Amino acid sequence: MTHLEEGASELPSGVGPGALVEVRWKSFPLTGVILREVPGEGRNVVQTLVGDGRIITHLAYDILYVVPKFIDAFHVKRCGIEDKPVNSKELMARVSVAEKVRKFNKTSEDLYNGYAAPFNSVYPRVSAPAEEAWASVTVVEAAKLLNVQYPDRRLVLHAVYSHLMKHSQMFVMDSYNFLSSQTFYVRPRAQVERFNQVWHLMHTDSPRVGQFLMRAEGIIAELQRLSKGSKNQAPSYHPVVNFAFTEDDQLFIRFFLDSLVDIRSVQTNPYTPLVCDIIKTLGLYDGDVDSEQVRQFLVDIGVLAPWQDMASLKTLQPALITAIPDPIPPVRAKSVFKSIATTSVLGPDDLYPSDPLESIRHDFGQLPVYTLDDYGAQELDDGISVERDMSDPSSLWVHVHIADPTAILPPTHSLARRARDAIQTQYFYHSSHPMLPESLVGGKLSLGNTATRGEAENVMTFSAKVDSNGDIVDYKVRAGIVRNVRTLKYDDVDTTMSFHPPDTTFPFGRSMRPDPTPLNLSPIDMENLHLLNLFSKRTVARRLGTSTFSFALGRPELTVSPKLLPVGRVDSMRPGLFLGDPEISYAVHNPGLSGSRLIVAEAAQVANRVASRFGRDHGVPLARRSLGAPVGSDEVLADLLRLRDKDGWVDFFEVRRKAIQFPLSRYTLDPAEHWTLGVAEGEGYTRATSPLRRYGDLVTHWQIKHALLHNEPLFSSREMQTIFEYIGAREQRWKWVEQSHNRWWALAFVKRWMRSDRENGAYNPITTMIGRVTARARQDVFRGTWAQEVHIADLGLFGILEGAGVEQEIGAEVSMAVDKIMLTTHPVLRLRPKDSYVPT
C-alpha cells in the first residue's frame, strides 16, 4: 500500500525460526538464520542472525531464498534475541550458527563458480521461440536443465538461484511473491539482442550513439515548438509525418522502453549504467537519472503520451504478459461443453446458438429492478429488487440480478480465452481496457441496455430472505428474466431520498462532478428504496454483532476529462505529437460507505454469500474469498471492538498501535470465514456479481449454471483449484498495478500544482501539510538514515518522512514539506520536517 516496493508480507508455511534465509537490501545479499518473528504494524518483522554475528530486523518480503529447518529449535533458542549476547551460552550458540552459515555460503559459492559455463545453456533452452515473447522458469526447473549431480540439493538450488539473479539482462525475478514462487521471467530474445547491441555500441565508443543523441535533440526541439501554446487545448494526438526514426533510433528507443520493465531493486538492473550514460550525455534533464527521466525522454521524443504512467503500460509487466498453459485441457473442455446447449461441439468462435437455460428461467415480470452507479459507469453488472415476504412481512426478499454474459458465451469461445488472459477490466484514469469487447457489453450485456428498448433481459439472480436481525434465513439461485429496469445514479438517489452523501473533500477545488438531479420517483419506487435502505441497515447491524471491525484512511480519487485520453501507440517508427492537457479534479474520499452506495455494497455481499451457500448445499465446487481474523491477544481485540463507531469503524492509528497481524486474503474451495465482511466459517463468500469485468465471476456462473441444468458441476474441484490459483496470482499483480497507477497520477497532479504556484484561495494544501505517523521508523542500513511512513489526511496520500531527529510515535502529528516527488515505476512522496526544509 505505502512502501516503495510491496508484496507478500507473510512467511510461507513451514518457514520459521531455524530456517536459513537470504535477505537482500538493494542488491546486496545477507545470509542468516531466522531467530523469531516479531509483531509489527499490520505485518510481522523477522529477526535474523547473519554470518558475521549481527542480528538484523527485516520484513518477510526481504527474504528471497529459504532452507527450512537449517538449525534445530534448541540451538535457535540458545542464541537469544538481544542485539548482543547476554551470557557465554548465547555467545557460543551464535558463533556456532554463524559458522554454519559461513560454511553454507562458501560451499554455495564454489558450486556457483563451477556452474558458470553450463549455465550459459539455460537461456536458449527456456526463452520463448517468438522474438518478442516472454517466458518463465523456476529455480527448480533451471536446476534440472543443468543436470548437476551433487548430494546436497539445497546448495545446488541456491547456486542456480544466484546465477539467475545475477543474469538480470536475461532473467527478471517475480517482483511480487518471489519467496513462494521462485519464478524468474525470461526476457524475449529480441530484448536481449537489443541490450547486447547497445552495450557493444557504448563500450566501443561508437559514433552511432552520439548521432542518435543529435537526432533526438532535434526531434525534441521540433515537437516542443509544435506544441507550444497548446496547454489550454483539448488533449489530442497527431502522427508527425515529416519525421521518421532511423533504424538506430528504433534500436535505442526500444532499448529505453525495455529498461522500464518492472524489476525489484534487490536485483541489479543491467540497464542502469547504460541509460544513465546516454541521458547524462543528452544533457536535457537535471538531477539523478532514474525511470522518471527515461519516461520523460520517451514522452519528449513523441513515443509515449504525457499522461502515460509506467505501471499501466502492460508491456512493462512480464507477470501479466507471459503465456501460461490453459488450466482446462482442450479435450476435457470440448467434451463437457458439448452437453450444455448443442449436439455439436462448439468451435473457438461459436457462441451458444440458443440460451442454455431458457427452459428453466424464472420471469420476474414487472418487478422493479434498480441499477445504481456513478456517472460515467461503463459496465452495469447488477440490479436490485426488493419485496416483503408474503408470509412474514417483517422479512425482506432482496433479489440481486446479475448481467448474464454466459447466456451466449461458452467457456470454449476465444472471447473466454481473452477474458482469462485479461482476468478483469482495467480502469485507468487515461484509458480503460475491458475484459469483454465493448461492442458485446454495451450492445447486449450491460444491465438495462435492452430494457430501454422494451426487451426482456436474461440475468442470474441471487435472492436472499433477510429477517429483522439481518440474517439470511432462506435463499434461491435462479436463471432469471427481468423486464422493468431503472438506471439511477448514486448522487441523484441520495439527494432524492435524503440519504447521507459520501464523505468527500476537494483540497484543490474544482469538483467536476455533475450536480445531483432530484428524481421524480413514483410512490412504489420510493417505498422500494426505503426498504432497500432498511435492508442495508439490518445487514450492517448484523455484522456489528460479530467480532469484526473496519479501519482505513482517506485516499485520492481523480476525475479526468475527457474520460478517454488519446494515447496514440508505442511507436518506434515515427514520433507522435500530443497537444493539450486534460482537466483533472482531485478529491479525497474518506473511508466508509453510506446511502445508495452502501445499499449496493450490502446487496453484493449478500449475493456472494448466497452463491457460496448454493455451492455448499449442492456439492458444487466453488472458489471462496477467505480472510481470517486478525492475530492478537483477546484483550487487545476486545479493546478494538469497544472502540468501534456505529458503523463498525475503528481509528486507523489505534489499530496500528496495537500491532496485531492481519492474514492475507486467499481463494479456497472451502466455505471459509471472511472476517472483515462478517461471513462465518461454514458459509463462505463466492464472488458472483461482476461477470462483465471479472473472469472469476464468469467461471462461477458457468459452474452454477451447469449445476442448475444438469445437477452436477462443470469443473472438478482440482480444475477449480487450478483456475483460481491462476486468477489469484494475476489479481494480486493487477492490484499492484492499480495502486501504483493511482499513486502516480495523484503525485503527478501535486507535482504540477507545485510547479505552477497556483493557490486555492487563502489555503494551499501543499504549504500547510500536516501528516500523522502510521508506522515505526525503519533504518536504511546503507544510507545510515531513518524513515517513517506518514499519511497526509488533506491529500489522502502516504509519504516517507526522512530527516526527523527522533522516532515519532504512531499517530503523532508532524508538520512537513515536500522534499521530492519521484514519478518512477514505484512512485514515492519523500518528505522532510518543515523546520529542516530548505527549498531547492
Side-chain angles (χ1 to χ4, degrees):
M1 179 176 65
T2 58
H3 294 279
L4 308 191
E5 293 183 327
E6 299 134 13
S9 59
E10 294 181 342
L11 288 174
S13 176
V15 179
L20 180 136
V21 295
E22 180 178 293
V23 176
R24 291 204 179 207
W25 288 328
K26 304 300 181 184
S27 57
F28 184 75
L30 292 170
T31 308
V33 172
I34 294 178
L35 298 182
R36 64 168 182 163
E37 284 189 86
V38 184
E41 299 82 27
R43 57 171 73 188
N44 282 358
V45 295
V46 182
Q47 288 187 334
T48 296
L49 176 67
V50 296
D52 61 7
R54 289 179 297 148
I55 293 179
I56 62 171
T57 301
H58 57 88
L59 299 175
Y61 185 56
D62 298 323
I63 300 173
L64 302 186
Y65 187 84
V66 174
V67 176
K69 300 179 181 178
F70 185 75
I71 300 293
D72 63 75
F74 174 78
H75 285 92
V76 169
K77 187 175 181 180
R78 292 196 69 174
C79 288
I81 58 174
E82 301 297 331
D83 286 341
K84 295 182 179 180
V86 299
N87 54 47
S88 60
K89 289 183 179 180
E90 287 190 3
L91 175 61
M92 295 308 296
R94 295 187 188 192
V95 169
S96 175
V97 170
E99 176 60 31
K100 291 180 180 179
V101 169
R102 290 195 297 271
K103 182 178 179 182
F104 180 93
N105 285 339
K106 178 63 171 64
T107 308
S108 177
E109 183 180 351
D110 292 341
L111 285 173
Y112 173 89
N113 293 331
Y115 293 168
F119 187 81
N120 292 332
S121 67
V122 173
Y123 178 80
R125 299 170 68 180
V126 299
S127 55
E131 287 294 303
E132 294 287 357
W134 286 78
S136 65
V137 65
T138 65
V139 174
V140 171
E141 291 167 346
K144 286 181 180 178
L145 291 175
L146 291 174
N147 195 27
V148 177
Q149 303 300 316
Y150 190 82
D152 193 337
R153 182 170 175 77
R154 305 173 305 173
L155 287 161
V156 172
L157 293 178
H158 184 263
V160 173
Y161 145 82
S162 299
H163 269 292
L164 292 166
M165 284 291 291
K166 180 182 179 181
H167 290 82
S168 51
Q169 77 276 21
M170 294 180 285
F171 304 99
V172 178
M173 64 181 294
D174 174 7
S175 61
Y176 181 82
N177 196 21
F178 180 78
L179 180 56
S180 294
S181 73
Q182 294 289 287
T183 295
F184 285 84
Y185 296 103
V186 185
R187 292 186 188 266
R189 294 170 184 259
Q191 194 172 117
V192 172
E193 176 60 24
R194 285 192 290 269
F195 177 86
N196 291 336
Q197 286 186 52
V198 173
W199 187 94
H200 177 75
L201 292 174
M202 296 291 292
H203 283 77
T204 58
D205 293 326
S206 172
R208 293 163 59 187
V209 179
Q211 292 163 4
F212 162 71
L213 293 176
M214 289 180 62
R215 289 191 298 271
E217 191 171 359
I219 292 172
I220 291 171
E222 179 63 12
L223 292 179
Q224 289 176 344
R225 185 188 68 80
L226 293 172
S227 62
K228 189 175 181 180
S230 70
K231 290 296 183 183
N232 295 324
Q233 297 180 17
S236 60
Y237 165 76
H238 311 271
V240 180
V241 295
N242 58 328
F243 277 113
F245 292 130
T246 68
E247 188 174 331
D248 271 358
D249 294 342
Q250 295 172 42
L251 168 66
F252 282 102
I253 288 169
R254 286 292 176 185
F255 171 82
F256 276 114
L257 286 166
D258 295 342
S259 77
L260 295 177
V261 165
D262 184 39
I263 183 170
R264 271 184 69 178
S265 61
V266 294
Q267 188 177 20
T268 301
N269 190 331
Y271 289 83
T272 299
L274 302 178
V275 165
C276 285
D277 197 351
I278 296 173
I279 294 293
K280 285 289 187 183
T281 304
L282 186 62
L284 297 179
Y285 309 100
D286 297 326
D288 297 333
V289 177
D290 53 20
S291 57
E292 179 179 5
Q293 287 199 1
V294 174
R295 174 201 162 275
Q296 189 60 52
F297 169 73
L298 292 170
V299 168
D300 292 344
I301 205 169
V303 173
L304 295 181
W307 34 80
Q308 177 66 63
D309 62 290
M310 286 171 279
S312 64
L313 199 58
K314 192 175 179 181
T315 55
L316 306 182
Q317 305 293 338
L320 299 174
I321 57 178
T322 301
I324 67 163
D326 196 313
I328 305 301
V331 174
R332 157 78 172 149
K334 289 184 179 180
S335 64
V336 171
F337 302 142
K338 177 179 178 180
S339 66
I340 293 184
T342 178
T343 56
S344 61
V345 175
L346 296 173
D349 296 315
D350 293 331
L351 298 172
Y352 288 134
S354 61
D355 173 19
L357 274 70
E358 182 179 13
S359 62
I360 62 171
R361 286 193 180 273
H362 175 80
D363 194 330
F364 285 88
Q366 291 301 311
L367 183 69
V369 179
Y370 305 98
T371 65
L372 306 173
D373 219 319
D374 276 312
Y375 283 97
Q378 299 169 39
E379 300 148 332
L380 301 181
D381 278 296
D382 56 326
I384 313 169
S385 300
V386 64
E387 51 188 341
R388 291 192 182 274
D389 184 81
M390 298 300 293
S391 60
D392 179 13
S394 66
S395 295
L396 303 173
W397 273 101
V398 175
H399 311 289
V400 184
H401 309 285
I402 309 301
D404 195 6
T406 58
I408 62 173
L409 183 66
T412 48
H413 200 281
S414 58
L415 292 179
R417 173 73 186 217
R418 162 182 161 160
R420 185 191 76 92
D421 291 342
I423 286 297
Q424 60 193 41
T425 293
Q426 298 306 321
Y427 300 105
F428 298 125
Y429 286 125
H430 61 298
S431 65
S432 63
H433 304 290
M435 182 183 77
L436 296 173
E438 292 180 16
S439 57
L440 189 65
V441 173
K444 298 180 180 179
L445 300 178
S446 186
L447 199 60
N449 276 8
T450 58
T452 59
R453 303 191 292 268
E455 301 174 15
E457 294 191 63
N458 288 337
V459 291
M460 279 295 294
T461 300
F462 300 85
S463 304
K465 180 180 176 181
V466 179
D467 68 9
S468 58
N469 296 319
D471 291 318
I472 299 175
V473 294
D474 196 4
Y475 74 88
K476 297 176 184 178
V477 175
R478 292 166 287 185
I481 298 172
V482 295
R483 303 176 183 275
N484 184 15
V485 181
R486 299 286 309 277
T487 302
L488 307 175
K489 304 304 179 187
Y490 287 135
D491 292 343
D492 297 347
V493 171
D494 289 346
T495 298
T496 305
M497 301 298 295
S498 299
F499 291 157
H500 192 279
D503 185 5
T504 304
T505 59
F506 299 89
F508 300 94
R510 298 177 60 213
S511 170
M512 286 164 40
R513 289 184 178 181
D515 292 331
T517 302
L519 302 171
N520 184 22
L521 297 176
S522 70
I524 292 177
D525 289 332
M526 295 286 286
E527 172 65 13
N528 286 339
L529 289 172
H530 276 303
L531 289 178
L532 287 172
N533 189 44
L534 174 63
F535 149 76
S536 68
K537 289 180 177 179
R538 286 179 176 181
T539 53
V540 169
R542 183 203 70 86
R543 192 158 55 248
L544 284 172
T546 67
S547 60
T548 186
F549 58 83
S550 301
F551 69 102
L553 292 171
R555 52 179 168 70
E557 289 185 352
L558 276 60
T559 303
V560 178
S561 178
K563 178 65 177 177
L564 299 180
L565 297 175
V567 294
R569 61 191 182 93
V570 176
D571 191 350
S572 61
M573 301 299 292
R574 66 178 62 254
L577 177 65
F578 294 89
L579 301 177
D581 270 339
E583 288 192 56
I584 303 176
S585 173
Y586 188 113
V588 177
H589 176 73
N590 293 308
L593 295 173
S594 61
S596 56
R597 291 171 174 81
L598 181 61
I599 290 172
V600 171
E602 293 297 317
Q605 290 176 24
V606 164
N608 292 336
R609 291 165 60 195
V610 165
S612 178
R613 290 187 180 201
F614 176 86
R616 177 196 65 189
D617 296 344
H618 293 80
V620 178
L622 292 176
R624 278 84 176 187
R625 198 66 178 165
S626 170
L627 180 66
V631 179
S633 69
D634 292 342
E635 181 180 358
V636 166
L637 293 176
D639 286 343
L640 291 172
L641 289 176
R642 283 193 290 269
L643 293 173
R644 291 187 300 183
D645 66 14
K646 62 181 179 62
D647 298 316
W649 288 84
V650 177
D651 179 74
F652 177 92
F653 301 98
E654 289 291 342
V655 177
R656 278 292 179 96
R657 290 187 190 106
K658 300 295 186 183
I660 58 177
Q661 301 303 303
F662 290 87
L664 297 176
S665 59
R666 61 188 180 91
Y667 282 112
T668 175
L669 298 189
D670 299 323
E673 172 188 31
H674 196 301
W675 177 83
T676 302
L677 301 179
V679 177
E681 186 77 24
E683 181 182 35
Y685 185 83
T686 295
R687 286 176 169 174
T689 57
S690 298
L692 298 182
R693 54 190 178 89
R694 285 200 302 247
Y695 176 67
D697 295 38
L698 273 179
V699 173
T700 296
H701 280 222
W702 283 317
Q703 184 81 324
I704 289 176
K705 281 186 168 184
H706 198 272
L708 289 172
L709 195 60
H710 299 293
N711 294 315
E712 64 178 10
L714 175 60
F715 303 118
S716 68
S717 294
R718 177 175 292 183
E719 288 167 338
M720 288 292 284
Q721 184 72 36
T722 301
I723 292 170
F724 277 88
E725 284 177 356
Y726 161 76
I727 290 173
R730 290 288 173 110
E731 283 180 343
Q732 287 176 340
R733 190 60 192 171
W734 273 120
K735 182 179 180 180
W736 176 88
V737 168
E738 179 184 348
Q739 291 173 342
S740 184
H741 167 80
N742 292 343
R743 191 160 60 230
W744 189 94
W745 270 76
L747 289 175
F749 179 95
V750 172
K751 192 169 188 175
R752 284 195 299 270
W753 180 278
M754 294 175 64
R755 285 178 174 173
S756 64
D757 291 325
R758 286 180 294 183
E759 293 197 8
N760 181 25
Y763 170 66
N764 187 327
I766 303 301
T767 59
T768 57
M769 288 196 305
I770 301 295
R772 295 185 69 186
V773 174
T774 61
R776 297 288 304 275
R778 293 185 61 192
Q779 186 179 22
D780 185 325
V781 296
F782 296 99
R783 298 169 62 189
T785 59
W786 290 84
Q788 279 191 277
E789 178 187 271
V790 295
H791 180 261
I792 306 163
D794 288 341
L795 301 181
L797 289 172
F798 287 89
I800 304 298
L801 175 65
E802 298 178 322
V806 295
E807 180 179 4
Q808 304 291 326
E809 293 295 323
I810 292 175
E813 290 191 349
V814 183
S815 179
M816 300 172 300
V818 174
D819 181 42
K820 187 177 184 181
I821 293 177
M822 302 171 63
L823 298 177
T824 53
T825 308
H826 301 261
V828 180
L829 172 60
R830 294 198 178 278
L831 304 158
R832 293 281 180 188
K834 192 164 186 180
D835 56 6
S836 69
Y837 176 66
V838 178
T840 58

